[in-house]
Amino acid sequence: MAHSQDSLGDRSDDVPAPLASGPINDTYRDEKQGSVFAQPIPRTADVTTEFNNNTTGKIKNPFLGVPKHQLLEDVAIFAHNNNLTDILPLLRKGALVSQAPTAIDSIAELDEEDRQTLRGEVTHRWRHPKTLYFTIVLNSIAAAIQGWDQTGSNGANLSFPQALGIPDTGAVCTAAGTCARNAWIVGFINAGPYIAIAFFASWLSDPMNRLLGRRVTIFIACFFGLFAPFGSACSQTWGQLVACRMLLGIGMGLKEVTVPIYSAEIAPSNIRGGLVMSWQMWTAFGIFLGTCANLAVVNAGAITWRLQLGAAFIPAVPLVLGILFCPESPRWLMSKRRYGSAYKSLLRLRNSPLQAARDLYFIQAQIAQEELLVEQAGFAKTDNLITRFLELFTIARLRRALQASGVAMMLQPMCGIQIIGFYSTTIFSEAGASNVGALLASFGFGLVNFLFAWPAIWTIDTFGRRGLTIFTFPNMFWTLLAAGLSFYIPGDGNSRIGAIAFFIYLFDAFYSPGAGPVPFTYSAEVFPLSHREVGMAWAVATNNFWASVVTTLFPRMLQAMTTVGTFGFYAGLNLVAWVMIFLWMPETKQRSLEQLDYIFAVPMRTHMHFQVTKTLPWWFRRWILFRKGEVAPELYHFEEETDATIHETKIVSSHLELHQESA
């Protein structure tokens, strides 16, 4: 049957209606029952299986198997319904490219300039507009605030307990019998921001993101980062300091949830990991800057700790000035039916109008498919936070993402980095270093943390999130254990301090490209758009809950278990973490955010069985027996096109086991 590519009306009843094109009104939904995405028989019959029980590991392209005339007709209706007819030719090209991204040479509608632009995504994958990198830089500044605050507390730990009347070491508290009590208070003060994040700020971020968007949420968070450090610096009692640090935690929590999501939603999929991991890399940079600030004011006398805590306001200034000049997340705009604004945003984030149009149409189609699957799989169609939170535990696809991100987020603070990040000056003082020497050693820790985060930019999208953590956690085990055992070196001389610093720096070097960037990158991408904010809120709450536990307990653990016992305890947790990651953390590299629905539709039991019976034997043969010809087994695979020319394709339905040849 012949069809006009530009016609929007006079369609015969036997012509399939357009593909789902995002959230639409009920009247139009009734008109599109013949749509490939909305056909009730294949989709309803086994949609729960497809969304929750993808035992084959197949990752589907929503355009695969759609006849060309039907695809182009849907593009036309999508453009018409959303006032995008002025870019209809670009949307058509983009839809065809999305259908067969590896066959651009066979798409007649593309000219050579189009093909060169698309090839550049592979040959020059880091060549993108300045606006994209400007936005990522500002997001990175948000991360630097977190790191700076952490090291401000690190340096202040040497003097604020005495200044506020809560010393946890020395003759005063020993004579009064208050050392143990004061150790709990010092830990509680340091944990204040993380307690606020875990129990309040992370959950506040969900309604704020859904109502205000990514940029405005970050903008509001900046004001907490601006004024709370001033309050901390002016505190006269430990209760006032706790209150100010909890206010700081509100701003930190809003940014922790929002910034990684924002970065993930604006980044191209082939470099998404490298851009999103900038959160951790620049947290490391903030740690480094904080150690520099600590050293700069070390001789300021009684106000040293006040300056160390107050200096954390500095990186919030450029962020609050610049964030509203960045483009809003296209995916958030699409969730509000603002497709024209989403296209304008993509124009600023992609190299060409063709790529912007392609991503616009591809994202909306995958979101539409996701929404249909969500609806038919039994998800509640509501903005209610409690309902969506409960679905994280009751819907299998979401529960797997929750489990995987929870593993990553929990193991980051539990690996031992939290005790060093917050208490390195205390640790080096315990080893016999002077105050200045301890701060200098902490400066080295911050420098190593920052420098060794850089390799992850290139490896996180090639070696992968899972690969980096599996490699680094065993190495973090032995280096942290060696650092603890170095305390047995007799005396308080340079050899002892040098050995401790050396192994702590090695531990830091392994942490920075692995357990550092992966958890937030991973958690920001694993949840579907419908539950992304609440899922990330849970992940951030998990991370900060355990961070608060570690931070609160450490001063008391030092007293009860000694430094060696405490280091050995956290070293052992790294081996536990390695096993948990191997079994429960699927790889997500170089998949679109919407394709991850299929990754997490694979039952965790299937994933675990594959890792134990396929991946582990392969690893033994390849790396223990050194058989170079061994090919790594792959659980996940893309559904391939049956006709690369895409003019007429075979429709494959794995659920109905039907094969229908198109004319």
Side-chain angles (χ1 to χ4, degrees):
M1 180 177 295
H3 303 280
S4 169
Q5 293 181 354
D6 296 322
S7 175
L8 297 176
D10 298 328
R11 292 188 291 109
S12 301
D13 292 339
D14 60 340
V15 178
L19 298 175
S21 31
I24 52 179
N25 59 53
D26 293 338
T27 301
Y28 186 61
R29 183 179 295 278
D30 291 340
E31 294 175 358
K32 56 194 296 294
Q33 291 303 310
S35 167
V36 171
F37 284 174
Q39 289 178 20
I41 297 176
R43 291 289 169 184
T44 304
D46 281 323
V47 68
T48 303
T49 300
E50 178 174 304
F51 202 67
N52 294 325
N53 197 33
N54 180 18
T55 57
T56 65
K58 184 179 291 184
I59 302 171
K60 295 187 177 182
N61 182 335
F63 300 143
L64 185 63
V66 180
K68 180 181 178 182
H69 68 81
Q70 185 178 347
L71 180 63
L72 295 182
E73 186 174 4
D74 184 72
V75 172
I77 294 180
F78 169 71
H80 175 75
N81 286 353
N82 296 287
N83 297 317
L84 296 171
T85 52
D86 55 325
I87 62 166
L88 181 56
L90 289 171
L91 288 170
R92 285 172 174 159
K93 290 181 180 181
L96 294 172
V97 171
S98 296
Q99 188 179 49
T102 60
I104 59 175
D105 290 331
S106 64
I107 301 176
E109 286 78 2
L110 300 179
D111 56 32
E112 189 55 33
E113 183 180 354
D114 295 332
R115 295 188 179 95
Q116 287 296 336
T117 299
L118 295 170
R119 292 187 189 109
E121 294 179 324
V122 178
T123 58
H124 300 91
R125 68 190 186 105
W126 291 98
R127 183 181 295 171
H128 294 282
K130 293 179 181 178
T131 301
L132 175 65
Y133 288 114
F134 174 74
T135 305
I136 295 298
V137 166
L138 284 180
N139 287 349
S140 302
I141 292 174
I145 297 172
Q146 320 287 92
W148 194 318
D149 167 73
Q150 185 170 309
T151 44
S153 299
N154 191 328
N157 280 333
L158 293 177
S159 52
F160 88 77
Q162 290 75 22
L164 297 180
I166 49 171
D168 59 341
T169 58
V172 174
C173 74
T174 301
T178 58
C179 288
R181 168 185 173 272
N182 291 346
W184 285 110
I185 295 174
V186 171
F188 178 63
I189 291 171
N190 282 319
Y194 303 101
I195 294 171
I197 296 170
F199 294 101
F200 181 69
S202 59
W203 306 110
L204 180 64
S205 66
D206 177 272
M208 288 185 64
N209 268 279
R210 294 178 77 86
L211 179 64
L212 303 174
R214 315 304 187 212
R215 297 180 308 161
V216 176
T217 300
I218 295 171
F219 180 74
I220 293 172
C222 290
F223 286 96
F224 289 93
L226 273 174
F227 298 115
F230 285 115
S232 297
C234 297
S235 297
Q236 301 301 311
T237 66
W238 69 264
Q240 293 174 2
L241 183 56
V242 167
C244 290
R245 288 185 59 75
M246 287 194 170
L247 288 174
L248 179 65
I250 294 174
M252 291 170 62
L254 292 175
K255 293 194 297 289
E256 277 191 21
V257 173
T258 307
V259 169
I261 290 177
Y262 185 33
S263 297
E265 290 181 339
I266 65 174
S269 59
N270 63 331
I271 61 167
R272 186 179 66 244
L275 295 184
V276 179
M277 68 80 53
S278 65
W279 171 264
Q280 181 58 36
M281 188 181 75
W282 292 99
T283 297
F285 184 62
I287 291 173
F288 171 66
L289 291 179
T291 59
C292 294
N294 288 345
L295 282 170
V297 300
V298 67
N299 294 318
I303 64 169
T304 294
W305 69 272
R306 297 185 184 277
L307 296 176
Q308 289 169 333
L309 291 176
F313 89 94
I314 295 174
V317 176
L319 181 61
V320 76
L321 293 177
I323 190 63
L324 293 183
F325 292 98
C326 298
E328 183 55 88
S329 162
R331 285 176 170 86
W332 181 82
L333 290 168
M334 289 186 204
S335 73
K336 301 299 180 183
R337 282 83 165 166
R338 295 167 57 184
Y339 293 102
S341 297
Y343 177 66
K344 292 177 182 178
S345 182
L346 284 166
L347 281 176
R348 299 178 63 190
L349 297 167
R350 300 294 183 263
N351 284 319
S352 70
L354 171 60
Q355 291 165 306
R358 175 202 60 190
D359 288 358
L360 178 75
Y361 189 72
F362 186 68
I363 291 170
Q364 68 82 29
Q366 289 198 311
I367 290 175
Q369 184 185 49
E370 178 184 287
E371 288 180 345
L372 183 64
L373 292 174
V374 163
E375 179 182 346
Q376 295 180 342
F379 288 30
K381 296 178 64 177
T382 178
D383 283 340
N384 185 280
L385 172 62
I386 296 176
T387 300
R388 287 183 291 109
F389 172 74
L390 292 176
E391 287 177 341
L392 294 177
F393 300 89
T394 58
I395 304 298
R397 180 263 182 264
L398 297 175
R399 189 167 59 247
R400 294 180 196 117
L402 190 76
Q403 178 181 357
S405 63
V407 166
M409 285 297 216
M410 177 181 68
L411 297 179
Q412 186 190 58
M414 299 296 285
C415 73
I417 194 64
Q418 200 74 17
I419 62 174
I420 299 173
F422 257 100
Y423 295 105
S424 61
T425 50
T426 303
I427 291 168
F428 288 120
S429 292
E430 289 274 332
S434 65
N435 281 5
V436 174
L439 288 172
L440 283 170
S442 295
F443 167 81
F445 165 79
L447 182 61
V448 171
N449 197 4
F450 176 59
L451 292 179
F452 281 86
W454 281 93
I457 293 180
W458 293 275
T459 57
I460 198 168
D461 285 311
T462 53
F463 202 38
R465 289 75 155 142
R466 173 183 165 88
L468 284 173
T469 49
I470 285 179
F471 171 73
T472 54
F473 267 94
N475 288 293
M476 289 160 61
F477 157 72
W478 71 264
T479 51
L480 191 61
L481 181 62
L485 293 175
S486 296
F487 277 86
Y488 283 131
I489 297 175
D492 295 328
N494 292 334
S495 59
R496 183 188 192 202
I497 297 173
I500 294 169
F502 174 73
F503 285 113
I504 284 178
Y505 293 168
L506 273 182
F507 168 84
D508 200 18
F510 284 116
Y511 166 85
S512 291
V518 168
F520 280 89
T521 302
Y522 193 82
S523 300
E525 63 191 7
V526 297
F527 295 98
L529 183 61
S530 58
H531 291 71
R532 188 163 295 154
E533 295 94 342
V534 69
M536 187 62 177
W538 170 263
V540 168
T542 299
N543 180 272
N544 284 276
F545 171 77
W546 290 108
S548 66
V549 169
V550 172
T551 306
T552 302
L553 291 179
F554 184 70
R556 187 69 186 111
M557 290 179 70
L558 280 181
Q559 294 177 349
M561 299 173 60
T562 73
T563 307
V564 177
T566 303
F567 272 52
F569 173 78
Y570 285 107
L573 290 181
N574 283 289
L575 289 183
V576 177
W578 183 82
V579 175
M580 295 172 70
I581 291 166
F582 181 77
L583 294 176
W584 297 333
M585 190 172 158
E587 183 58 78
T588 61
K589 67 175 181 178
Q590 297 189 4
R591 308 297 191 211
S592 75
L593 295 179
E594 289 71 34
Q595 286 171 343
L596 295 181
D597 284 336
Y598 293 100
I599 297 288
F600 289 97
V602 175
M604 195 58 72
R605 185 176 301 172
T606 300
H607 174 80
M608 293 171 61
H609 182 266
F610 186 89
Q611 302 309 319
V612 173
T613 61
K614 302 292 183 182
T615 303
L616 190 59
W618 165 83
W619 185 89
F620 181 83
R621 293 192 301 268
R622 176 64 185 88
W623 299 109
I624 302 299
L625 302 181
F626 293 103
R627 296 180 183 175
K628 296 183 178 181
E630 293 289 332
V631 179
E634 293 288 345
L635 173 59
Y636 310 104
H637 56 277
F638 281 98
E639 189 175 55
E640 299 292 342
E641 294 92 340
T642 57
D643 183 355
T645 64
I646 67 173
H647 287 270
E648 293 297 340
T649 59
K650 180 183 292 185
I651 300 175
V652 181
S653 172
S654 60
H655 298 300
L656 297 184
E657 300 180 354
L658 296 178
H659 296 274
Q660 177 183 353
E661 292 291 334
S662 55

